[in-house]
Amino acid sequence: MKSKLFIFIIVSLILAGVFQYDYDSHTNYFAEKNIFVTLPKGKTLEILSFGFKNFVADMIFIWSIQFYSNYNLNNRFEYIEDIYNIITDLNPRYRAPYYVGSWIMALELNNYKMAIRLLQKASKNLKDDWDFDFESGYYAYKYLKDYKLAEKYYKKAAEKPDAPSFVKRWQAHTIYMKDNLTYALKMWLEIKENAKNKLEKNSALNHLYQIKFEIDKKNLEEKIKLFEQRFRRKPVNLKELKRKGIINMIPKDFKGEDYIYDFKTGKIKAKKVFRWKKFY
Amino acid sequence: MKIRAIALNTFKEATRNKIYYLLIFFGIFFVLSSKLVTLLTIGDHVKVLKDLGLASINFFSVLIAIFTGIDLVYKEIERKTIYNILSKPISRSCFIIGKFFGLALTLFVALISMVVMFFLFMLLFSGELDVRILVYFILLYFELLIITSISLLFSSISTPILSSVFTISLYLIGHVIWTFNEFKDKIVNPIIKIISYILYYTLPNLEKFNIKNSIVMNIDIDIGMILSSICYAIFYIAALLILTILIFNKREFQ
């Protein structure tokens, strides 16, 4: 009797395997498809979690990682903002969903504004963390090319208690990028004075060199134009500007060396050029 | 002395039940298996370990509180062993209080065994021992005592299935009653407003014992709030036990 039962179990398992094989041969698990995702709002889910909201947030977050790793789903980004808002509504101080959600939004979906929105929610909920504002600033700087917005976020990040020194350098750099040269010069001088290592100091010196050059270039080229209006020719060299009383002194670069003057074009160049702005 | 004897007997009887061990086993099993879940996540693994561990202990200890609480009093009535007990010089109030303390001891042992496993597990996988979690377990224990007294109340007046439904419903209501706080002030009708106020203050508010989020996310815990929650639990349990005794005293056993 026992051996008959054993044979029956084996046969049943073999038959189940045959049906599974048949099902698999007709199914393409990796075919591209659309999916419909529906989840209640964060507040509703918080009520429905009956005191287990952290657990629910963890589960949705883990599911979202697997879901957004599935490249066969064509419309998987449709509800991405809602999903990460639900997770972060359930557990506003849960860091990982802010990072992961914003990475997916920015680097896969290329929706930097959406990524910044999530990061700013993180910044609001985790007030002492500098990195969410820093990352917002980076997306605004690198991808949106909105230097005003980037400066705003870098400034916010730099004001946080544990913000590393490079955050302030990024802020100073965005100020330079949005052409507020006087303020940028002031900030970089401050960074140079407070530099704690060679890297910080060299970085500040490079920026100061560039900014001083841009300020001097603008002033000198204006004076050259003035000279041209008066004498209907370009000055032979910068000394001529001084000789004719158009400038009081010939500015030097941050290292104390002379600028290069091109007589034919009337343009000023520095010996060292940093290609931080497209027009150099 | 009589209460102590009933309590110890209740504890012995509860620990003879296989469901008790099964629920403890599942509680520990889910705490240990949370390590597997961290393999699927990105970021703070310790946070996920804590979340899943605390949620598992919470869930299974609530099940123990509900099912052992309901089962024990009803069994005494069903098997008619209550006639034996009440024929002795033991008052009905002693019987209920003894049952409550016996269940409290049963829950304490179950909770301690899960907590010890949780701490060992955390020490092994994260190398840290957050003693603040103990505060959560103390509050959870008081929440369990409230659930036990609710289940004791229902089991002394109803059948096990109905008692389970009522207790689980009150447990769920207890965790969403905080939403009522916003709602009750918006009611215009004065009668409904009074009813909603009465309901808000008489139904158990169990969410105040839920400090999992503060513990896991390292948010400061207000000691005053914890003491207030413990006092709330003590008075609520006292009220429920008195109500149970009053109902139990009126009940006639045939």
Side-chain angles (χ1 to χ4, degrees):
Chain A
M1 187 64 188
K2 270 187 181 173
S3 60
K4 274 182 186 171
L5 276 174
F6 184 71
I7 290 164
F8 180 75
I9 290 166
I10 297 289
V11 171
S12 301
L13 285 173
I14 290 168
L15 282 173
V18 168
F19 280 110
Q20 182 62 46
Y21 179 79
D22 180 59
Y23 179 83
D24 289 346
S25 60
H26 290 95
T27 312
N28 182 1
Y29 289 108
F30 300 104
E32 288 191 355
K33 57 191 168 193
N34 284 338
I35 192 159
F36 176 68
V37 179
T38 177
L39 275 171
K41 289 274 171 204
K43 185 84 174 172
T44 316
L45 212 56
E46 188 182 348
I47 296 166
L48 292 176
S49 68
F50 297 109
F52 290 91
K53 61 177 184 173
N54 280 16
F55 175 75
V56 175
D58 283 342
M59 289 299 113
I60 301 175
F61 177 52
I62 290 170
W63 165 81
S64 77
I65 296 166
Q66 323 307 316
F67 183 73
Y68 288 108
S69 311
N70 187 348
Y71 292 91
N72 304 315
L73 304 169
N74 293 322
N75 62 336
R76 69 188 197 281
F77 293 122
E78 269 178 24
Y79 303 100
I80 185 168
E81 194 168 19
D82 293 325
I83 287 167
Y84 281 94
N85 272 334
I86 287 168
I87 300 167
T88 51
D89 281 347
L90 284 170
N91 197 340
R93 294 176 67 85
Y94 192 2
R95 286 178 177 80
Y98 293 116
Y99 290 122
V100 176
S102 62
W103 290 338
I104 299 171
M105 288 166 186
L107 307 174
E108 284 207 64
L109 186 58
N110 295 335
N111 191 335
Y112 305 104
K113 285 184 179 170
M114 190 194 276
I116 289 172
R117 277 201 297 276
L118 185 66
L119 289 166
Q120 283 311 296
K121 187 178 177 186
S123 170
K124 196 178 150 197
N125 291 326
L126 294 147
K127 288 194 167 57
D128 290 339
D129 287 31
W130 58 271
D131 39 356
F132 299 113
D133 287 314
F134 180 76
E135 209 151 304
S136 302
Y138 185 74
Y139 291 142
Y141 168 83
K142 175 85 178 168
Y143 301 106
L144 300 177
K145 309 281 180 208
D146 187 339
Y147 303 123
K148 197 179 165 190
L149 191 68
E151 197 257 320
K152 185 182 130 188
Y153 293 135
Y154 283 137
K155 186 172 184 273
K156 228 170 120 186
E159 284 165 357
K160 302 277 168 95
D162 295 323
S165 57
F166 66 79
V167 180
K168 198 156 192 175
R169 297 208 294 277
W170 272 95
Q171 187 200 344
H173 183 63
T174 47
I175 292 168
Y176 157 75
M177 291 298 282
K178 66 173 193 178
D179 284 330
N180 192 342
L181 296 177
T182 324
Y183 185 35
L185 188 80
K186 194 183 148 201
M187 263 201 95
W188 279 110
L189 278 170
E190 198 184 301
I191 291 166
K192 193 194 112 200
E193 292 306 313
N194 299 321
K196 285 182 185 122
N197 55 49
K198 210 176 167 185
L199 178 96
E200 274 181 41
K201 195 163 186 170
N202 284 344
S203 171
L205 286 171
N206 287 341
H207 276 85
L208 287 166
Y209 183 92
Q210 183 74 19
I211 295 164
K212 185 174 184 312
F213 161 64
E214 283 184 37
I215 294 170
D216 290 343
K217 177 184 155 75
K218 196 182 165 200
N219 287 339
L220 280 173
E221 284 178 358
E222 272 173 15
K223 301 293 176 191
I224 289 165
K225 271 185 189 163
L226 195 72
F227 182 96
E228 212 178 343
Q229 279 168 3
R230 271 194 211 166
F231 302 100
R232 300 194 180 274
R233 65 171 176 87
K234 288 186 173 70
V236 180
N237 50 37
L238 295 177
K239 281 176 190 164
E240 199 179 1
L241 285 176
K242 193 185 169 189
R243 226 173 24 243
K244 301 282 182 185
I246 291 174
I247 54 172
N248 295 328
M249 55 175 287
I250 303 166
K252 296 200 183 274
D253 70 18
F254 202 77
K255 286 186 174 175
E257 291 176 23
D258 291 334
Y259 289 120
I260 302 159
Y261 170 63
D262 187 342
F263 165 70
K264 285 177 191 165
T265 58
K267 298 281 176 194
I268 303 290
K269 279 183 186 171
K271 283 180 182 165
K272 205 163 131 186
V273 176
F274 297 97
R275 298 193 180 276
W276 289 322
K277 283 181 183 171
K278 273 187 183 170
F279 48 83
Y280 287 116
Chain B
M1 205 60 191
K2 287 171 194 167
I3 291 172
R4 197 179 153 205
I6 294 169
L8 286 173
N9 192 49
T10 306
F11 174 68
K12 275 181 200 166
E13 205 182 331
T15 50
R16 269 190 222 122
N17 197 336
K18 279 176 190 160
I19 294 172
Y20 177 70
Y21 294 105
L22 202 68
L23 291 171
I24 295 176
F25 167 77
F26 271 109
I28 293 170
F29 174 77
F30 276 92
V31 168
L32 302 181
S33 59
S34 59
K35 180 66 190 159
L36 294 173
V37 180
T38 60
L39 298 174
L40 300 170
T41 193
I42 300 171
D44 195 351
H45 287 193
V46 177
K47 187 233 173 239
V48 177
L49 286 180
K50 281 183 191 172
D51 273 347
L52 299 190
L54 297 186
S56 306
I57 293 173
N58 186 341
F59 181 72
F60 287 100
S61 53
V62 166
L63 286 186
I64 294 171
I66 293 171
F67 292 114
T68 48
I70 287 162
D71 200 39
L72 289 178
V73 177
Y74 185 78
K75 255 186 195 170
E76 300 272 12
I77 301 166
E78 184 71 12
R79 288 177 188 167
K80 301 192 183 338
T81 46
I82 198 156
Y83 298 112
N84 256 341
I85 299 164
L86 297 181
S87 62
K88 292 185 175 93
I90 295 169
S91 66
R92 290 188 181 198
S93 53
C94 272
F95 174 76
I96 293 294
I97 294 167
K99 278 278 169 201
F100 173 76
F101 282 112
L103 289 169
L105 183 63
T106 312
L107 281 172
F108 183 75
V109 173
L111 191 61
I112 282 288
S113 50
M114 288 191 269
V115 169
V116 168
M117 286 308 289
F118 173 77
F119 276 121
L120 286 175
F121 175 74
M122 287 304 294
L123 199 63
L124 189 70
F125 286 107
S126 69
E128 64 174 62
L129 205 67
D130 187 359
V131 282
R132 279 165 27 111
I133 297 177
L134 271 178
V135 181
Y136 166 69
F137 287 125
I138 292 168
L139 285 183
L140 174 65
Y141 185 61
F142 278 98
E143 182 186 343
L144 296 175
L145 292 182
I146 292 181
I147 297 165
T148 304
S149 27
I150 294 169
S151 63
L152 208 59
L153 169 70
F154 288 126
S155 70
S156 59
I157 54 171
S158 186
T159 60
I161 293 171
L162 283 177
S163 303
S164 309
V165 172
F166 294 149
T167 314
I168 291 168
S169 305
L170 271 181
Y171 169 75
L172 297 178
I173 289 167
H175 277 285
V176 293
I177 196 85
W178 58 273
T179 55
F180 212 65
N181 199 18
E182 295 166 16
F183 169 73
K184 68 179 173 30
D185 295 324
K186 288 177 185 165
I187 299 167
V188 186
N189 188 316
I191 298 164
I192 299 174
K193 198 167 185 141
I194 290 166
I195 293 169
S196 59
Y197 265 86
I198 292 168
L199 281 174
Y200 179 72
Y201 287 106
T202 50
L203 288 170
N205 188 340
L206 301 177
E207 196 56 23
K208 61 169 67 192
F209 302 99
N210 184 12
I211 55 161
K212 283 198 281 284
N213 190 46
S214 308
I215 295 289
V216 175
M217 304 314 296
N218 279 327
I219 301 167
D220 289 337
I221 312 165
D222 185 355
I223 300 294
M225 291 294 282
I226 289 164
L227 291 175
S228 145
S229 300
I230 292 171
C231 291
Y232 171 84
I234 292 167
F235 288 115
Y236 204 87
I237 292 163
L240 281 171
L241 287 179
I242 292 165
L243 185 65
T244 311
I245 291 164
L246 286 175
I247 294 169
F248 202 67
N249 277 340
K250 297 243 169 177
R251 190 165 173 177
E252 283 184 20
F253 298 105
Q254 291 170 348

